Amino acid sequence: MDEVRNRTAVLGTGEVPWDSPVVPADDPGLRGDGFFETLLVHGGIPPRVVRLEQHLDRFERSAAAFDLAVDRSAWENLVTSITDDVPTGTEAALRLTASAGTCTATLRPLPESVRRGRDGVHVITLARGTSTTPDAPWLLNAAKTSSYAVNSAALREARRRGTDDALFLDAAGEVLEAPTANLLWRAGGRWWTPPQADRDVLPGTTLAAVTAALGVRETPCRPDDLLAADGAWLLSSLRGAAPVRSLDGTPLPVDGSLTTVLRRTALEP
Ligand code: PLP
């Protein structure tokens, strides 16, 4: 089978060699002062970018928080051109990155860790220390900013402790989200997710799709609620719905048929 080609493009310039350095050394994005989107692409004729419109909607909201505008049709054209040869039967990761300086799109083969994650993840809880902060738009909670140093450090900590992923807890011990995914769980015959407004929780496009298809309610969540649940999943664009196999070392039930339903909803265009 043909493989996904590494590709890189710069908004306004077009495609460049995939490994060329395209960001100036003083680009604000290098200080985390920027925003991005990560999207799943199914290869085919034509390739299908999963929920491109919803990702561009969030991209526009992120841009507004930076007092920047997104030229939507320019990004759509860039996405179409950089994804045009993703081979049928393969999947690719598309990343759109923007700052006041540079705007880029990259296409890469789906990382092996993403495929492994779809089979299930072992998760630990980690303190994030933040609390609900109303009327504070400068905290950029709803924007997908490039400031991922803490998120990456949490994932490294999870791996250091022999697990795959983490769930952040706020100062009151309530679950927020994972470093790169939203939390969904099943209890009492319903789907649940932690509240998002004014908290350190990114409004995920995958969670929004699952909410539209299956109906998901918000309720505060503590780790004990997950231990008593019928199942829990991490939702994100590339992994789709990753079943949580254990939390802080305690096994959680994994329901294969619920995971199949969720995965179908999460990974479809
Ligand atoms: N929360 C955070 C912090 C994320 O980084 C992500 C995705 O990268 C998500 C949630 C899930 O968002 P989406 O479903 O749009 O990929």
Side-chain angles (χ1 to χ4, degrees), residues 58 144 148 151 177-182 202 204-206 235-237:
R58 187 171 61 194
K144 191 165 165 63
Y148 262 51
N151 306 47
E177 64 175 350
T180 65
N182 292 112
L202 183 78
T205 56
T206 317
L235 300 184
S236 58
S237 296

Side-chain angles (χ1 to χ4, degrees), residues 144-191:
K144 191 165 165 63
T145 75
S146 311
S147 318
Y148 262 51
V150 168
N151 306 47
S152 301
L155 288 175
R156 284 196 298 274
E157 182 64 24
R159 285 181 200 128
R160 209 171 286 135
R161 297 195 203 174
T163 57
D164 307 302
D165 217 314
L167 279 171
F168 285 129
L169 303 181
D170 73 6
E174 287 186 10
V175 182
L176 295 164
E177 64 175 350
T180 65
N182 292 112
L183 172 68
L184 177 84
W185 73 99
R186 177 96 178 156
R190 294 186 192 283
W191 301 104

Side-chain angles (χ1 to χ4, degrees), residues 22-113:
V22 292
V23 178
D26 57 356
D27 191 282
L30 293 179
R31 301 194 305 266
D33 191 6
F35 50 97
F36 74 107
E37 288 293 323
T38 304
L39 303 88
L40 179 67
V41 184
H42 293 291
I45 307 170
R48 290 169 299 145
V49 181
V50 177
R51 291 187 283 280
L52 175 60
E53 293 311 309
Q54 289 85 339
H55 280 279
L56 288 179
D57 288 347
R58 187 171 61 194
F59 207 45
E60 279 185 334
R61 288 198 300 275
S62 296
F66 285 74
D67 293 333
L68 295 172
V70 161
D71 181 343
R72 204 165 166 123
S73 65
W75 280 103
E76 281 167 349
N77 290 338
L78 201 67
V79 167
T80 304
S81 70
I82 203 177
T83 59
D84 65 359
D85 68 351
V86 179
T88 304
T90 66
E91 291 173 297
L94 171 68
R95 180 156 295 161
L96 314 180
T97 307
S99 73
T102 318
C103 297
T104 59
T106 59
L107 187 81
R108 302 285 182 261
L110 203 65
E112 200 39 52
S113 58

